[in-house]
């Protein structure tokens, strides 16, 4: 059985901060792999800055192809929208559960609002959470601080954001050092975020 950490996000675009966190989790915890679960564009939102699903998948694919323990996943592309994490976990278990044990990766900022997630009790009952530090306001509820299914991993604090990269690139700033080289090449060739 492989232990798979699921790293959810729009990855618009994926950047070195995402890779550093994912790689740290797979190298310094008991996880065997990390799968980047790319959140699809919601049919109910017309967010102009969100690239089409296949372009974001391609950038994640390009970013992780040299890292055998990191994989892209488009599992959510075929799920009804709006989608919830619990639905994705059920689908992953149905499709790959025989050989894999799934866990969630999340930033500490998300853990602070975890009690608002749909079926969060079922998630905690059936899955483990691997939490990495993030700078944010508010506090983690006491029930989540010492929970046996929540592992706090001492990963680097990454303050790089995709929003910052998009805005800076649009202003003509050089964001190349913030992206894996293969992602930069794809983004530049496709003229994204200009």
């Amino acid at each position: 059985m492989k232990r798979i950490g699921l790293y959810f996000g729009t990855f618009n675009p994926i950047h070195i901060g995402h890779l550093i966190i994912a790689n740290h989790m797979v190298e310094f915890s008991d996880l065997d792999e990390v799968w980047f679960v790319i959140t699809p564009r919601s049919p109910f939102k017309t967010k102009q800055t969100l690239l089409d699903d296949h372009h974001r998948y391609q950038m994640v694919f390009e970013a992780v192809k040299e890292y055998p323990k990191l994989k892209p996943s488009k599992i959510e592309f075929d799920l009804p929208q709006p989608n919830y994490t619990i639905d994705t976990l059920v689908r992953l278990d149905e499709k790959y559960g025989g050989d894999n044990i799934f866990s969630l990766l999340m930033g500490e900022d998300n853990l602070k609002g975890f009690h608002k997630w749909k079926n969060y009790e079922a998630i905690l009952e059936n899955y483990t959470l691997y939490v990495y530090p993030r700078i944010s306001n508010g506090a983690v509820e006491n029930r989540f601080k010492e929970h046996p299914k929540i592992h706090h991993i001492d990963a680097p604090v990454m303050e790089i954001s995709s929003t910052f990269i998009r805005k800076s690139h649009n202003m003509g700033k050089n964001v190349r050092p913030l992206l894996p080289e293969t992602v930069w090449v794809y983004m530049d060739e496709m003229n994204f975020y200009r």
Side-chain angles (χ1 to χ4, degrees):
M1 295 287 276
K2 275 188 183 172
R3 302 184 71 84
I4 311 292
L6 303 171
Y7 194 178
F8 288 81
T10 55
F11 304 112
N12 186 42
I14 187 170
H15 53 68
I16 60 166
H18 295 129
L19 283 185
I20 290 168
I21 293 293
N23 188 69
H24 188 90
M25 291 298 208
V26 84
E27 294 296 337
F28 296 96
S29 75
D30 60 353
L31 295 173
D32 299 305
E33 292 179 359
V34 168
W35 293 4
F36 288 82
V37 181
I38 301 136
T39 303
R41 176 196 286 256
S42 170
F44 307 106
K45 293 180 186 170
T46 52
K47 198 172 180 190
Q48 294 302 322
T49 56
L50 187 60
L51 295 181
D52 285 339
D53 301 343
H54 72 278
H55 287 305
R56 290 179 293 116
Y57 175 84
Q58 189 62 37
M59 287 194 288
V60 172
F61 175 83
E62 294 294 336
V64 304
K65 66 183 178 185
E66 300 295 323
Y67 300 91
K69 296 178 184 177
L70 307 180
K71 313 250 185 257
S73 171
K74 47 172 120 173
I75 190 81
E76 289 198 335
F77 291 7
D78 300 323
L79 293 175
Q81 294 294 320
N83 181 54
Y84 297 96
T85 303
I86 188 70
D87 302 326
T88 305
L89 291 166
V90 167
R91 175 65 64 90
L92 283 164
D93 275 336
E94 288 170 356
K95 201 165 181 181
Y96 306 108
D99 303 319
N100 301 295
I101 300 168
F102 293 104
S103 301
L104 269 76
L105 306 187
M106 72 168 60
E108 195 174 53
D109 52 335
N110 283 322
L111 184 60
K112 291 173 184 175
F114 183 61
H115 62 283
K116 297 176 186 170
W117 288 30
K118 181 183 176 188
N119 296 5
Y120 80 91
E121 300 99 332
I123 294 173
L124 260 187
E125 191 177 317
N126 297 296
Y127 304 93
T128 303
L129 274 53
Y130 290 77
V131 179
Y132 55 90
R134 290 290 303 266
I135 297 170
S136 62
N137 296 323
V140 172
E141 290 187 14
N142 283 336
R143 62 182 161 156
F144 298 144
K145 283 184 182 170
E146 302 295 326
H147 196 285
K149 289 282 197 82
I150 300 176
H151 302 301
H152 295 267
I153 307 296
D154 187 22
V157 176
M158 300 308 301
E159 285 299 296
I160 303 168
S161 80
S162 297
T163 303
F164 174 79
I165 290 170
R166 289 193 309 272
K167 286 181 179 173
S168 301
H169 188 58
N170 185 255
M171 291 164 45
K173 305 293 184 191
N174 181 6
V175 295
R176 190 172 181 169
L178 302 176
L179 301 161
E181 184 63 19
T182 51
V183 172
W184 165 256
V185 169
Y186 186 81
M187 197 173 105
D188 193 47
E189 282 175 358
M190 301 297 284
N191 204 29
F192 290 148
Y193 312 118
R194 293 275 187 205

